């Protein structure tokens, strides 16, 4: 069974940092591109970042560019999101979501999703 | 950035009725559109990809259609577990974007 389990969320002050992790199982992790998607409380879905299977290609949304860093460790079947200079508007549930296979287009849908981890930025 | 506009924002229907949800793109996305279902407290689940292909395990009561800028998700006969929020998403261009969602609620 394909499974994605996020961790690392919590309460952080504005300007602070947090590192999210996503543990993947049930599939060949290095064969898939991965993403982070977030959802502010009571709001819609917002794509945050993409990383290719090898880690060589990375994209960010404009709202997080320069503050967030996506990375992966294929030996550990893990995806990460380092979040720095956090703002109130970064408060959201952060989902790890699998993209397409590495041989497909980098532009893809998300399937499956993890259960999410809540990040709250507040003083 | 491609903007996706979903309508209506809320759809009030009874079990057994047919639901028709709309997603309109600000520019052509070809057939590169997906639909997701999200229930309260749960992660989104992929229903439809590339406008009309059902994801693995998705029942035939869910169907998608459209191309270019106008897309439709149809639920043929609503069951209690289908009342949820539905989102569309385009994969035509970066950044990947979602619509604002349509809530299907029990009338």
């Amino acid at each position: 069974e394909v499974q994605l389990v996020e961790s690392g969320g919590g309460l952080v002050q504005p300007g602070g940092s947090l590192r999210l992790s996503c543990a993947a199982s049930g599939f060949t992790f290095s064969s898939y591109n991965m993403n982070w998607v977030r959802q502010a409380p009571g709001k819609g879905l917002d794509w945050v970042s993409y990383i290719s299977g090898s880690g060589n290609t990375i994209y960010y949304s404009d709202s997080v560019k320069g503050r967030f860093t996506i990375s992966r460790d294929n030996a550990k079947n893990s995806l990460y999101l380092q979040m720095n200079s956090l703002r109130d508007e970064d408060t959201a549930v952060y989902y790890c979501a699998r993209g397409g296979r590495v041989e497909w287009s980098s532009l893809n849908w998300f399937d499956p999703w993890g259960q999410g981890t809540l990040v709250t930025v507040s003083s | 950035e491609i903007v996706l506009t979903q309508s209506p924002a809320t759809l009030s229907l009874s079990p057994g009725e047919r639901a028709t949800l709309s997603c309109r793109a600000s520019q052509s996305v070809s057939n590169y559109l997906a639909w997701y279902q999200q229930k309260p407290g749960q992660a989104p689940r992929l229903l439809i990809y590339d406008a009309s292909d059902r994801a693995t395990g998705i029942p035939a009561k869910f169907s998608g259609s459209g191309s270019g800028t106008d897309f439709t998700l149809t639920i043929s006969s609503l069951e209690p577990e289908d009342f949820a929020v539905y989102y569309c998403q385009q994969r035509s261009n970066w950044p990947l974007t979602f619509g604002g969602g349509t809530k299907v609620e029990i009338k």
Side-chain angles (χ1 to χ4, degrees):
Chain A
E1 178 195 3
V2 175
Q3 198 168 13
L4 300 170
V5 179
E6 301 93 336
S7 60
L11 175 63
V12 61
Q13 292 187 338
S17 298
L18 213 53
R19 189 194 195 208
L20 305 183
S21 299
C22 171
S25 60
F27 65 102
T28 303
F29 184 65
S30 60
S31 295
Y32 286 84
N33 305 317
M34 297 294 295
N35 296 269
W36 288 98
V37 180
R38 67 185 179 184
Q39 186 171 35
K43 302 297 184 182
L45 301 167
D46 181 30
W47 169 78
V48 172
S49 185
Y50 159 95
I51 186 168
S52 62
S54 64
N56 290 339
T57 300
I58 286 172
Y59 299 114
Y60 298 100
S61 67
D62 285 346
S63 60
V64 307
K65 199 175 298 181
R67 301 187 298 122
F68 289 11
T69 302
I70 191 172
S71 62
R72 64 190 295 162
D73 185 336
N74 288 340
K76 294 182 178 180
N77 291 339
S78 293
L79 175 72
Y80 306 101
L81 187 68
Q82 176 67 42
M83 304 185 296
N84 298 332
S85 302
L86 282 161
R87 305 168 179 168
D88 291 351
E89 56 265 34
D90 295 318
T91 294
V93 173
Y94 283 74
Y95 295 102
C96 164
R98 192 177 71 173
R101 292 186 61 88
V102 295
E103 59 267 30
W104 298 350
S105 168
S106 58
L107 295 155
N108 221 306
W109 52 85
F110 307 107
D111 182 44
W113 301 55
Q115 87 289 348
T117 187
L118 176 62
V119 172
T120 303
V121 184
S122 175
S123 54
Chain B
E1 172 175 322
I2 296 174
V3 176
L4 299 178
T5 302
Q6 291 189 241
S7 61
T10 303
L11 195 54
S12 298
L13 295 168
S14 300
E17 288 193 294
R18 181 185 189 91
T20 303
L21 288 66
S22 173
C23 178
R24 177 165 289 178
S26 60
Q27 65 188 74
S28 177
V29 297
S30 185
N31 67 325
Y32 298 139
L33 192 99
W35 290 94
Y36 301 85
Q37 177 193 64
Q38 186 177 34
K39 298 178 181 179
Q42 295 185 17
R45 176 176 70 145
L46 178 69
L47 299 176
I48 301 287
Y49 63 92
D50 289 352
S52 60
D53 292 331
R54 274 189 302 276
T56 302
I58 302 303
K61 64 180 173 181
F62 293 97
S63 63
S65 63
S67 66
T69 61
D70 290 297
F71 299 86
T72 300
L73 174 69
T74 301
I75 310 171
S76 59
S77 177
L78 285 164
E79 298 182 66
E81 63 268 23
D82 300 329
F83 292 92
V85 179
Y86 293 83
Y87 294 96
C88 57
Q89 175 241 326
Q90 64 80 21
R91 71 172 190 94
S92 175
N93 214 340
W94 297 102
L96 301 174
T97 53
F98 293 88
T102 290
K103 181 180 182 180
V104 179
E105 65 175 24
I106 299 176
K107 186 175 181 179

